[in-house]
Amino acid sequence: MKAKTHVQDLPTRPPQGHCRRASRGRPWYDLPENPKAAEALRRLRSPFLLFSVLLSYGLGLLYCTSVFSAVAPPPAPLPGSVYRSKELFEKLLPDLLSVNSSTVQLNTIWTSRRKLKQWKDCTNHKTEHPGSTEPFGYLIVDANGGLNQQRSSICNAVALAGLLNAVLVIPNFHLHNIWMDPRQVNRYEFKDIYDEDHFINMLEGHVTVVRDIPEMVMERFGYDISNVPNLKVKAWASSSYYSDVAVPLLREHGVIRISPFANRLSNEVPSDMQRLRCLANYKALRFSLPIAAMAKKLASRMVEKSSLSGGKYVSIHLRFEEDMVAFSCCIYDGGMSEKVEMDSARQRGWKEKFKLRGHCLRPDRNRMQGKCPLTPLEAGMMLRGMGFSNDTPIYLASGKLYKEETHLAPLLQLFPLLQTKESLATSEELAPFQNYSSRMAALDYSVCLHSEVFVTTQGGNFPHFMMGHRRFLYGGHAKTIKPNKPKLAVLFQDTNISWKAFRGQLEVMLDESERKGMVLRKSSQSVYSFPSPDCACLHDHQANSTLFKRYQHHHGVG
């Protein structure tokens, strides 16, 4: 009797003479001469065996990879992808502190090589309506967002009312939880921020503005504003869209509502609409009396603190508040503690939004693209590198900084003459504004507007409106330092750079800001950032300073 064939009875290798033939034909173990052995191997080629083989292979590959990783150094980070500003600050600190004589004189910093023609105010042109001048109905808008996003909505609403030949109802302020003020349960009103009477009077003859919809109109809608036809409009809608869609609706119902309204009107509109935007922004919108009075005090005190520089000072707009840092998804040097705090802030402000695919995946790329808010330390290093000495008066415009005591210390070390709203005013003076973010932002806006140098460290509506407003007041020049943030990210990451090279690159960046501060608007750009030529008529004999002096007298500043 023949013995049974077992797996262990199989030869461990094929006969030497069959190697070449077996490699071209069937496997050596599946030859017809050994059918029982072949059957045994077929049983071993089960899913379990396949899984075991693959698992062994994977574990071996993982082991080899881990061994290799332990030996090979990690890849170097891409330029500008990692926050190393604190290391660079510590290295350059002796140089940063030793240069106490300024190479930048505030009274000559904006000596532009090119000149725009002198400006003549032309925002008082009356708006012509084709055909009948009788309004077709009432326009209601909800201005959403923060202070300057709401400002954009208001100015756009004025322009749209002119296009539609509609009566504009004083805009409502629709709040988002990020800008929600603690004491405001539902909303705050237009008159809390702006001078309502002045707004209505300045637009008279251009656009009719009323405080409320007449009762006879609201009666048709059951006195419920939610019953008023609400036109849902895509962002940056053209003027022709409103003419085609909104006018028939307005004529049919006598009133329409657009909510929300922020960014619902294109930058490219007819010249009459642009002039209405200018009139609303630079003449009709004036802060309410309490805000204007407090702003005048702050600006005057800042001028007094700047007596050694002839009353001139530098203002910095920092966006290093906790919510802004969280929204940017950028990583700084706070480690796991920072990550936990930022995750919590994102959950509070935006619920599940940042857990969706595509959010917060590449903080390194955000930094390389210049999307990370500058820290106070980085802002201070930048200004010292540009040539501003430690006796330069600084006004810091900001909300509550993230970990303020830690992050503000380096900026104060570099610029000990730094001031804020809180240092310029008493707690009693600020009490009416303290818990209202929009009112506090309005105070910052006013003081920044009259600084000799405005420094923007992050995009957003505040710097866009500020640069445009300053261009309107200063003969076309924004007098603004707008750094190239992708270049800054690379510069701040290079901990091997010398002080001379660091300073050289920042001086070039300052020259670029000076050169780009005086430009004319392109068709696709916002008139709120680039008011010329839409917001002013060119005239060869108009003095640049006249407009600014009129503004100072009108607003009680200076």
Side-chain angles (χ1 to χ4, degrees):
M1 181 181 295
K2 289 185 180 181
K4 292 184 179 179
T5 303
H6 297 283
V7 175
Q8 58 266 34
D9 296 329
L10 293 174
T12 58
R13 60 179 179 175
Q16 194 70 23
H18 292 281
C19 285
R20 189 176 303 273
R21 184 178 302 170
S23 65
R24 292 196 300 269
R26 290 178 299 177
W28 64 269
Y29 52 75
D30 204 18
L31 296 176
E33 293 87 346
N34 197 357
K36 291 186 178 181
E39 178 62 27
L41 281 172
R42 274 194 293 270
R43 287 198 300 270
L44 283 174
R45 285 184 294 174
S46 63
F48 178 76
L49 176 63
L50 180 62
F51 174 77
S52 301
V53 172
L54 291 176
L55 180 62
S56 299
Y57 175 79
L59 291 174
L61 182 63
L62 182 63
Y63 173 77
C64 293
T65 304
S66 63
V67 171
F68 178 77
S69 300
V71 175
L78 294 173
S81 63
V82 179
Y83 180 80
R84 286 183 176 161
S85 303
K86 189 174 181 181
E87 297 173 46
L88 182 62
F89 173 80
E90 292 171 352
K91 176 197 172 184
L92 296 181
L93 186 57
D95 295 301
L96 290 166
L97 295 177
S98 65
V99 182
N100 293 326
S101 58
S102 179
T103 60
V104 175
Q105 301 299 321
L106 291 182
N107 59 345
T108 61
I109 184 174
W110 306 120
T111 307
S112 179
R113 294 183 180 88
R114 58 187 294 268
K115 300 289 183 181
L116 289 177
K117 291 183 178 180
Q118 307 298 334
W119 285 27
K120 179 181 179 181
D121 179 22
C122 64
T123 55
N124 287 322
H125 289 297
K126 301 298 181 183
T127 302
E128 299 289 341
H129 294 296
S132 172
T133 58
E134 188 69 24
F136 296 145
Y138 295 87
L139 173 64
I140 305 171
V141 300
D142 285 347
N144 54 305
L147 176 71
N148 289 285
Q149 187 170 330
Q150 289 174 343
R151 190 182 187 105
S152 171
S153 297
I154 295 165
C155 298
N156 286 345
V158 171
L160 184 57
L163 174 71
L164 302 179
N165 193 15
V167 175
L168 177 64
V169 181
I170 287 287
N172 298 315
F173 285 171
H174 176 72
L175 299 178
H176 183 278
N177 61 334
I178 291 301
W179 294 278
M180 179 72 75
D181 290 322
R183 296 179 183 175
Q184 298 163 351
V185 178
N186 295 317
R187 68 172 192 174
Y188 59 94
E189 297 181 352
F190 185 97
K191 64 183 179 181
D192 294 325
I193 305 297
Y194 297 107
D195 186 332
E196 201 170 86
D197 291 334
H198 179 77
F199 182 75
I200 294 172
N201 293 336
M202 283 301 298
L203 293 175
E204 185 178 354
H206 303 273
V207 171
T208 302
V209 183
V210 296
R211 290 179 174 83
D212 300 292
I213 305 173
E215 185 174 344
M216 59 179 293
V217 175
M218 287 305 299
E219 184 180 7
R220 303 203 319 263
F221 300 96
Y223 299 98
D224 187 350
I225 195 171
S226 64
N227 293 329
V228 174
N230 187 14
L231 185 61
K232 294 295 183 181
V233 184
K234 293 182 179 181
W236 311 111
S238 66
S239 57
S240 60
Y241 168 84
Y242 284 104
S243 296
D244 295 340
V245 177
V247 169
L249 198 63
L250 185 64
R251 285 179 169 176
E252 179 183 355
H253 297 280
V255 57
I256 60 171
R257 179 181 175 219
I258 307 177
S259 175
F261 188 62
N263 302 327
R264 293 305 191 272
L265 182 62
S266 171
N267 287 328
E268 300 179 61
V269 297
S271 58
D272 279 353
M273 294 182 70
Q274 294 289 30
R275 281 198 292 268
L276 284 175
R277 278 172 159 168
C278 298
L279 179 62
N281 190 35
Y282 301 121
K283 294 297 184 67
L285 282 180
R286 185 171 71 181
F287 289 127
S288 63
L289 183 59
I291 293 175
M294 190 68 240
K296 180 182 178 181
K297 287 182 181 179
L298 292 175
S300 298
R301 291 170 187 174
M302 192 65 216
V303 169
E304 292 173 4
K305 298 283 186 181
S306 310
S307 58
L308 295 179
S309 56
K312 299 180 184 295
Y313 58 93
V314 175
S315 62
I316 305 175
H317 181 233
L318 271 182
R319 289 309 317 272
F320 202 67
E321 302 95 343
E322 182 179 72
D323 64 290
M324 190 63 202
V325 176
F327 186 82
S328 72
C329 291
C330 296
I331 296 175
Y332 293 87
D333 58 354
M336 183 54 65
S337 172
E338 177 187 301
K339 182 183 184 306
V340 171
E341 289 172 346
M342 293 300 100
D343 286 343
S344 176
R346 282 188 282 269
Q347 181 65 27
R348 287 195 307 271
W350 296 275
K351 304 303 179 185
E352 303 299 315
K353 175 181 177 180
F354 282 90
K355 293 182 180 180
L356 299 176
R357 184 177 181 181
H359 287 81
C360 289
L361 292 181
R362 294 298 303 271
D364 55 340
R365 185 172 296 173
N366 287 351
R367 184 168 296 282
M368 292 168 66
Q369 294 174 350
K371 295 180 180 179
C372 294
L374 290 189
T375 64
L377 177 150
E378 290 173 323
M381 290 176 67
M382 179 184 73
L383 289 178
R384 290 307 295 268
M386 287 178 174
F388 292 90
S389 64
N390 65 345
D391 60 356
T392 302
I394 301 284
Y395 178 81
L396 181 61
S398 175
K400 174 68 174 176
L401 294 177
Y402 172 56
K403 293 191 174 180
E404 183 170 332
E405 291 186 5
T406 301
H407 287 293
L408 192 56
L411 181 59
L412 279 168
Q413 189 176 6
L414 297 178
F415 292 100
L417 299 185
L418 182 142
Q419 303 289 338
T420 63
K421 299 181 292 294
E422 291 76 13
S423 65
L424 291 172
T426 65
S427 56
E428 290 78 12
E429 289 175 318
L430 284 180
F433 314 94
Q434 194 73 54
N435 292 321
Y436 299 87
S437 58
S438 291
R439 299 180 196 184
M440 295 289 273
L443 296 178
D444 277 338
Y445 187 96
S446 300
V447 182
C448 289
L449 188 61
H450 300 292
S451 62
E452 184 62 22
V453 178
F454 172 65
V455 182
T456 172
T457 63
Q458 184 71 2
N461 288 297
F462 188 106
H464 290 165
F465 269 85
M466 179 61 61
M467 287 188 288
H469 209 152
R470 290 167 65 84
R471 284 187 172 106
F472 184 78
L473 294 179
Y474 292 108
H477 203 304
K479 296 190 175 185
T480 295
I481 295 175
K482 185 181 180 183
N484 185 320
K485 291 185 65 181
K487 286 186 179 179
L488 272 185
V490 174
L491 187 63
F492 287 147
Q493 185 178 312
D494 185 4
T495 55
N496 294 318
I497 193 171
S498 68
W499 167 246
K500 182 179 179 180
F502 179 82
R503 186 165 184 170
Q505 291 198 39
L506 286 168
E507 287 173 346
V508 170
M509 201 173 290
L510 176 61
D511 290 339
E512 290 177 356
S513 290
E514 199 281 331
R515 178 172 52 84
K516 294 179 180 179
M518 192 172 237
V519 294
L520 296 175
R521 188 181 77 90
K522 298 177 182 177
S523 61
S524 61
Q525 292 175 321
S526 168
V527 73
Y528 306 127
S529 298
F530 303 94
S532 180
D534 306 87
C535 298
C537 297
L538 298 176
H539 194 279
D540 290 334
H541 305 294
Q542 179 71 19
N544 274 346
S545 60
T546 302
L547 183 61
F548 182 45
K549 290 178 179 177
R550 285 206 310 269
Y551 181 91
Q552 286 182 309
H553 176 75
H554 184 62
H555 290 263
V557 177

